Amino acid sequence: MKISKFLWSVLVVFATVALIAPQQVEAIVIDGRINGQIVFTGSGTITESNGLNSSGLNSNGISGSVINELDFNGQNFPHGPLSVTGGTGDFIPFVGSQANFNLAIRWTGSGSSVTLLDVLPGVGGPAWLVPIAGANGFATGTFFSLKSVTFDEDSLTLIGMGTTQTTSGDPLVQKDSAARIVIQGTGQDFTYNLTVVTTAVTPEGGSGLGLLAIGLVGLVGVEGLRRKIATRQNRYA
């Protein structure tokens, strides 16, 4: 991984948040949980930490000792962008914009025995950001865990759980929710045409994830992303 590109892409992806948040802190109203889902489309490629070739995987994925990485292709590679092609409920204002991930998605294991990497306690792991095109406001979605990942050279299905947040409207209204994030793709040679669907969900009673989702109010989500950037800058300094 090239450190300079990594740091530059992270700063580009979240520059919008850094500019918007200080000006809008006093105007934001906290108002409940999100309803609906948001859909991205784009391209992505799976690699190993030491590189991947056509004979590097078995039919069920890779053994747990190998780190798998899903990079998002585009101008800000490996972070995207992806196009926001659909949205319902609170996500409707974001259709037509673009989404970028702050990190590539990395994990070990396969099937339902998978572990998401780069997760910071109380902050989360890889996250996407979508500004509203031509208006104030933004949405985010953050992975906290993976439920399953299956892939081969032709197809990919990745299912994760996390949180999502929207800030939109006039006056600005912020909403938070637990989220299910599903990435599916088809293609060849481990490069896929991707569909990313983030759906706001009601957390199960007593679950740690549910409590975390409820606790992500105010500008905590934004501040968490800033901490994540700072931590990884120190890590790769």
Side-chain angles (χ1 to χ4, degrees):
M1 181 180 294
K2 295 183 179 180
I3 298 173
S4 59
K5 286 187 176 180
F6 173 89
L7 295 178
W8 174 249
S9 297
V10 170
L11 292 173
V12 169
V13 170
F14 289 101
T16 302
V17 174
L19 292 173
I20 292 175
Q23 302 173 15
Q24 298 179 349
V25 169
E26 295 182 1
I28 294 176
V29 177
I30 310 302
D31 184 23
R33 295 181 181 172
I34 299 172
N35 292 306
Q37 67 177 206
I38 188 168
V39 180
F40 314 147
T41 57
S43 174
T45 301
I46 290 180
T47 65
E48 292 180 358
S49 56
N50 295 320
L52 181 69
N53 56 45
S54 60
S55 62
L57 299 176
N58 58 45
S59 60
N60 296 319
I62 317 177
S63 65
S65 61
V66 175
I67 295 175
N68 313 303
E69 178 173 317
L70 174 60
D71 297 321
F72 298 95
N73 301 323
Q75 181 179 356
N76 298 326
F77 178 86
H79 311 294
L82 292 82
S83 299
V84 182
T85 54
T88 63
D90 295 307
F91 292 108
I92 290 175
F94 303 95
V95 176
S97 189
Q98 291 188 321
N100 281 279
F101 279 79
N102 67 329
L103 295 170
I105 299 174
R106 303 195 309 150
W107 71 93
T108 59
S110 62
S112 59
S113 298
V114 288
T115 300
L116 178 64
L117 303 179
D118 304 316
V119 178
L120 298 180
V123 177
W128 54 257
L129 170 70
V130 178
I132 298 179
N136 290 334
F138 55 90
T140 63
T142 304
F143 280 92
F144 277 81
S145 65
L146 293 176
K147 298 191 71 174
S148 67
V149 182
T150 56
F151 70 94
D152 55 27
E153 63 183 20
D154 301 317
S155 64
L156 162 69
T157 299
L158 181 151
I159 301 174
M161 298 299 295
T163 61
T164 187
Q165 180 185 94
T166 62
T167 303
S168 63
D170 186 13
L172 288 169
V173 175
Q174 179 181 294
K175 297 183 179 182
D176 302 87
S177 179
R180 175 183 171 93
I181 307 173
V182 178
I183 300 177
Q184 293 181 300
T186 57
Q188 60 183 2
D189 297 327
F190 305 101
T191 294
Y192 315 95
N193 295 317
L194 299 176
T195 299
V196 181
V197 181
T198 301
T199 305
V201 299
T202 300
E204 297 179 2
S207 70
L209 181 58
L211 294 175
L212 179 59
I214 294 171
L216 289 174
V217 296
L219 291 178
V220 173
V222 174
E223 185 61 26
L225 294 175
R226 288 175 174 172
R227 291 177 189 173
K228 186 183 301 181
I229 293 172
T231 297
R232 286 175 173 78
Q233 285 176 326
N234 292 334
R235 174 181 173 187
Y236 290 99

